[in-house]
Amino acid sequence: MNEQNIYIVRVGEVALKGMNKPYFEKTLVTRIRKNLSSIEGTTVSRHEGLIFVRTDKNIPADTIIRQVSRVFGVASISPAVECESDLDKIGETAVAFMLKQIEERGIKTFKVEAKRADKNFPVKSPDIARIIGAKVLIGCKVLKVDVHDPNCRLYVDLRDDRTYIFDEKIQGFGGLPLGTNGKGMVLLSGGIDSPVAAWMMAKRGMIIEAVHFHSYPYTSPRAQQKVEELAAIVAGYTGPMKIHIINLLPIQEQIVQNCPEEETTILVRRFMMRIAEKVAEKNRCMMLVTGEDLGQVASQTAEALVVTDACVTMPVMRPLIAMDKVDIMDMAKEIGTYDKSIEPYEDCCTVFLPKHPTTKPRLERIEESEAKLDVDALVDAAVRSEEIVRIDA
Ligand code: ATP
Ligand code: MG
């Protein structure tokens, strides 16, 4: 058997599930299979709470690790070698494994960490570590043991009749497998925040669909393309995504002509929420998701959020609500959306931006302003005008 053709995948929170654990594990296996489907010669199986990925030997480890570690629900992944659970065989495999580490990484010190999941195995973990350590010392003359700060930790994991040997655990994102927590409609702008919000909800198992508003011809087709490119980055984690694209300009014009200037932003936001709710209902989404963050801008003060929420009945998830902007930016960098988000294209919110937006709107006043508009007709017309774009993963 080739040495690099098996990967141990550990589940995160999925392992804590009680009765539903098999369902979560099965969903996770399906997700991993999907993420590997474009790579021929891979198989995914489940055994004793672990997931194993086996691949043809010519497939680079980096490719497998990248595709698997981005699946939500994966806690960590280890490229490994396997052998029979027999101390001589484990010793030989460990020596071969370490010779390769010496050649590739120039390691000089090591420590064996043994684990015996199979408690019927007659030798206890500390003794396994000692015996295998001694065999490695004999087989790899350049190596010394360092129990405090070794260059390489050699993990020996005994399970039933098979033993797995590896030296690294590459972290995944954790979370729960996609599809285990309903479907949400994300209000997706071209900014930094909303792609992160979408990613965070998807990480908890939620399938994501998106609605994007533009103000063409005030906003350019290039701005819309940027949103599609952002969605494609998010889709790398969430799978294919449908975006509902809606021109908000007719509504913005009505607001500007009929309502007080300082209320423009909050009024526009309420229309966005109403339209998003309608689109969400039509597409069987259970929640709205936004990238709002308490106090970040005028429309995200506590008062503004209360007034925004009051026009919809569907729950509105705001996963970034209590985060600092710098931390949101760090997350955007980590998931790979940041560079795209900061490309300078106008957003529909910046069209007709009031000079002094109200930061403490009162619901009665806002409702008075809206009474001058035919809200239902405007919302219906906007929903009817939607264009749908499908983003591949
Ligand atoms: P972001 O970085 O996500 O654009 P922001 O700090 O610019 O956020 P706002 O422009 O006030 O904040 O928008 C708040 C939220 O409203 C966004 O996170 C997003 O969920 C939604 N939103 C804003 N503009 C749009 C848009 N053009 N289309 C769809 N949703 C939008
Ligand atoms: Mg924005």
Side-chain angles (χ1 to χ4, degrees):
M1 183 159 296
N2 179 276
E3 285 179 4
Q4 276 201 328
N5 65 356
I6 178 162
Y7 301 81
I8 302 175
V9 181
R10 293 172 203 84
V11 304
E13 221 176 295
V14 170
L16 305 176
K17 298 285 166 197
M19 301 275 284
N20 288 332
K21 195 168 150 183
Y23 160 68
F24 280 91
E25 285 183 353
K26 260 192 209 157
T27 313
L28 184 56
V29 167
T30 308
R31 290 291 163 195
I32 295 173
R33 278 195 188 122
K34 270 201 178 140
N35 268 30
L36 293 173
S37 61
S38 61
I39 309 169
E40 240 173 77
T42 60
T43 59
V44 185
S45 59
R46 192 156 64 100
H47 187 58
E48 286 187 12
L50 288 179
I51 292 169
F52 294 95
V53 176
R54 290 184 166 80
T55 73
D56 286 352
K57 49 192 150 195
N58 55 349
I59 300 170
D62 287 356
T63 310
I64 300 297
I65 291 167
R66 191 179 56 242
Q67 286 304 97
V68 174
S69 63
R70 59 169 47 211
V71 175
F72 295 132
V74 169
S76 66
I77 173 168
S78 299
V81 290
E82 68 180 322
C83 63
E84 254 173 69
S85 289
D86 165 274
L87 283 176
D88 286 337
K89 290 268 163 45
I90 298 171
E92 280 167 30
T93 312
V95 168
F97 184 86
M98 292 306 263
L99 286 172
K100 202 156 164 254
Q101 301 307 313
I102 295 166
E103 191 188 315
E104 287 175 3
R105 301 204 280 134
I107 60 160
K108 297 203 161 51
T109 58
F110 77 108
K111 176 190 181 182
V112 179
E113 309 231 357
K115 203 168 99 185
R116 183 183 56 143
D118 174 12
K119 299 294 176 208
N120 294 323
F121 193 79
V123 186
K124 290 191 174 141
S125 303
D127 295 331
I128 299 171
R130 207 174 32 74
I131 293 164
I132 302 303
K135 288 179 188 284
V136 169
L137 282 173
I138 294 167
C140 309
K141 295 275 184 264
V142 298
L143 287 185
K144 289 197 169 58
V145 171
D146 180 346
V147 289
H148 301 296
D149 186 23
N151 298 152
C152 173
R153 277 174 206 275
L154 180 68
Y155 296 95
V156 176
D157 192 351
L158 269 98
R159 298 182 170 259
D160 289 343
D161 51 340
R162 306 300 290 169
T163 293
Y164 304 93
I165 291 176
F166 52 90
D167 71 333
E168 49 178 350
K169 293 183 184 175
I170 299 136
Q171 295 298 307
F173 290 110
L176 296 171
L178 272 174
T180 57
N181 257 317
K183 184 159 80 156
M185 183 64 73
V186 177
L187 286 84
L188 188 66
S189 71
I192 293 169
D193 304 329
S194 46
V196 175
W199 185 90
M200 282 178 78
M201 294 307 285
K203 179 169 174 259
R204 298 303 302 168
M206 181 168 265
I207 301 277
I208 295 298
E209 208 163 302
V211 55
H212 174 69
F213 300 100
H214 63 87
S215 311
Y216 184 80
Y218 287 85
T219 56
S220 66
R222 187 64 190 83
Q224 182 179 320
Q225 194 186 327
K226 172 188 168 184
V227 172
E228 289 173 22
E229 288 162 4
L230 258 180
I233 301 172
V234 177
Y237 300 95
T238 63
M241 195 193 294
K242 200 159 121 186
I243 316 183
H244 304 264
I245 300 199
I246 291 173
N247 190 342
L248 210 56
L249 187 59
I251 292 177
Q252 289 173 301
E253 282 171 343
Q254 286 288 313
I255 292 173
V256 169
Q257 282 162 23
N258 296 291
C259 306
E261 193 209 349
E262 69 275 12
E263 292 176 2
T264 310
T265 307
I266 191 85
L267 288 166
V268 168
R269 294 208 55 75
R270 279 166 59 92
F271 272 96
M272 282 188 180
M273 298 303 269
R274 288 187 181 102
I275 296 165
E277 184 181 48
K278 279 259 158 71
V279 177
E281 279 165 358
K282 261 174 65 178
N283 292 277
R284 288 193 227 99
C285 293
M286 310 154 78
M287 298 172 176
L288 300 178
V289 179
T290 77
E292 287 164 309
D293 175 26
L294 190 61
Q296 197 185 90
V297 288
S299 62
Q300 295 172 28
T301 61
E303 290 83 357
L305 292 174
V306 169
V307 171
T308 306
D309 253 12
C311 68
V312 288
T313 53
M314 194 173 267
V316 182
M317 299 292 121
R318 300 182 165 95
L320 312 183
I321 195 71
M323 284 176 74
D324 285 356
K325 184 77 184 189
V326 285
D327 297 328
I328 300 171
M329 284 157 69
D330 284 347
M331 273 191 86
K333 287 175 193 161
E334 195 188 344
I335 65 177
T337 51
Y338 183 81
D339 289 341
K340 183 56 69 185
S341 288
I342 60 170
E343 283 180 9
Y345 295 102
E346 64 293 323
D347 183 64
C348 71
C349 291
T350 52
V351 179
F352 309 117
L353 199 64
K355 278 198 199 71
H356 302 289
T358 170
T359 54
K360 293 195 189 326
R362 285 197 9 240
L363 187 56
E364 312 84 77
R365 289 275 290 278
I366 296 296
E367 283 173 348
E368 273 170 34
S369 302
E370 284 174 352
K372 295 174 198 142
L373 309 170
D374 190 344
V375 173
D376 290 345
L378 286 169
V379 169
D380 286 345
V383 172
R384 275 200 307 276
S385 74
E386 75 168 6
E387 250 180 83
I388 294 175
V389 173
R390 284 169 213 279
I391 305 290
D392 287 334

